[in-house]
Structures are given as structure tokens and as C-alpha cells.
Amino acid sequence: GDRPAGWIPWIVYFGSLGAGFMLIEVAILQRFVLLLGHPVYSLTVTLFSLLLGTGIGAALSRRFSTASLRQTTAVALVAIVLLALVSTLVITPFIAWAIPFSRTARIMVAVVTLVPVGMVLGIPMPAGIRLLSSRAPQLVTWAWGMNGALSVVGATLAIFFAMNWGFSATFIAASATYLVGLAALISSR
């Protein structure tokens, strides 16, 4: 049909973003329940902060020049991989440090920590859509579809990983997933 040559890397790219984002989100939710003390606070504060951050990141990504968009997107993906890996080491001591604070202070710590994380997470999707729109606009609906489908799969996998192997394994799986996305981006033309 109307699929252009080289469509598979794009589908893999957007699928990886969907699954990887959910893996990171679930791992963060799981850890921040400890910090915020109550699942409702954790869900509300964590999702608010991440989504606010991704919105800001998406808005910032519109300012990236078209000429360097692929490189900038690759840098964002590398940053996400590193963030996820560093999280396996620093999140537990970080939360232990912040637990004694008042609830308000802990909420502020969570927001200040997670909004920048969300900003980095918010870059690859809109940047990828921009790249794809200029090369193969007929694939954009497929990109959104794969991203959505793998977000659902990613959320389920994330819970499975977190319950069976803990949050570190979930972050490592997220890193691997974003690395697959990076490889797909690099191989897409």
C-alpha cells in the first residue's frame, strides 16, 4: 500500500517511546509512594509533575531547528537512558533523605525533581512526529497508533517487572527500550 521504504524503524521508534515512557512512569510511581506516603498523593503529584514536564518539553521541542532535530532528539533519548540508569542508583537514597520532611515539602521535592525529568521525556515524541511529518506524513497516524498500543503494553509490562524484579529492573528495562528507540531513530532515513 502506501507505506514508504524504511517505515519499520519509525514504527519501532514510536512503539519504543510508548513502552519506555510507561516503564519509567510506573517505576517512578512505585518509588514516590514511599516519599509521598499515600498512593493517591503519589499518583496525583507524580502524574501532574511528569505530565506538566512533558508538556513543557513538547513545547520546547517545537523551538528546535529542523536542521538539527534528529541530533537533538538523539541527545534527548541518550539523556533519558542515562536518567533511567542513574535513577536505579540515586532514587532510594534520595527518597530516604526527603522522607523526614513535612508532606508539603515532600510534595515540593517531588514536583521540583519530576518536572525536569518530564521535560526530557516530553521531547522525543513531538520531535519524532515533526521528523516523520517532513519525510512520510502518511505514517503519522501509524506512529500515534503504535505509540498508544505500546503504552498499554508498556504499562502492563512495567507493573509485571516492578512486582517481580523491583523498580531497578523496571528502570533498566526502560533504558533498554529507549536504546531500541535510539537505534531505530539512527537507522531511519
Side-chain angles (χ1 to χ4, degrees), residues 89-187:
L89 304 171
V90 301
I91 253 186
T92 303
F94 173 75
I95 287 173
W97 164 79
I99 279 177
F101 302 163
S102 71
R103 175 174 289 142
T104 307
R106 282 178 289 146
I107 288 172
M108 293 313 296
V109 164
V111 172
V112 167
T113 306
L114 294 177
V115 169
V117 170
M119 286 170 67
V120 182
L121 287 169
I123 292 169
M125 183 70 187
I129 293 291
R130 263 180 69 195
L131 284 166
L132 188 57
S133 297
S134 65
R135 289 167 175 76
Q138 68 274 41
L139 281 180
V140 169
T141 49
W142 281 98
W144 281 108
M146 279 305 289
N147 183 266
L150 277 148
S151 292
V152 175
V153 173
T156 310
L157 274 178
I159 293 162
F160 179 77
F161 266 88
M163 287 174 69
N164 287 291
W165 299 292
F167 80 100
S168 291
T170 312
F171 276 123
I172 290 165
S175 289
T177 306
Y178 274 99
L179 276 174
V180 168
L182 178 62
L185 179 70
I186 291 166
S187 68

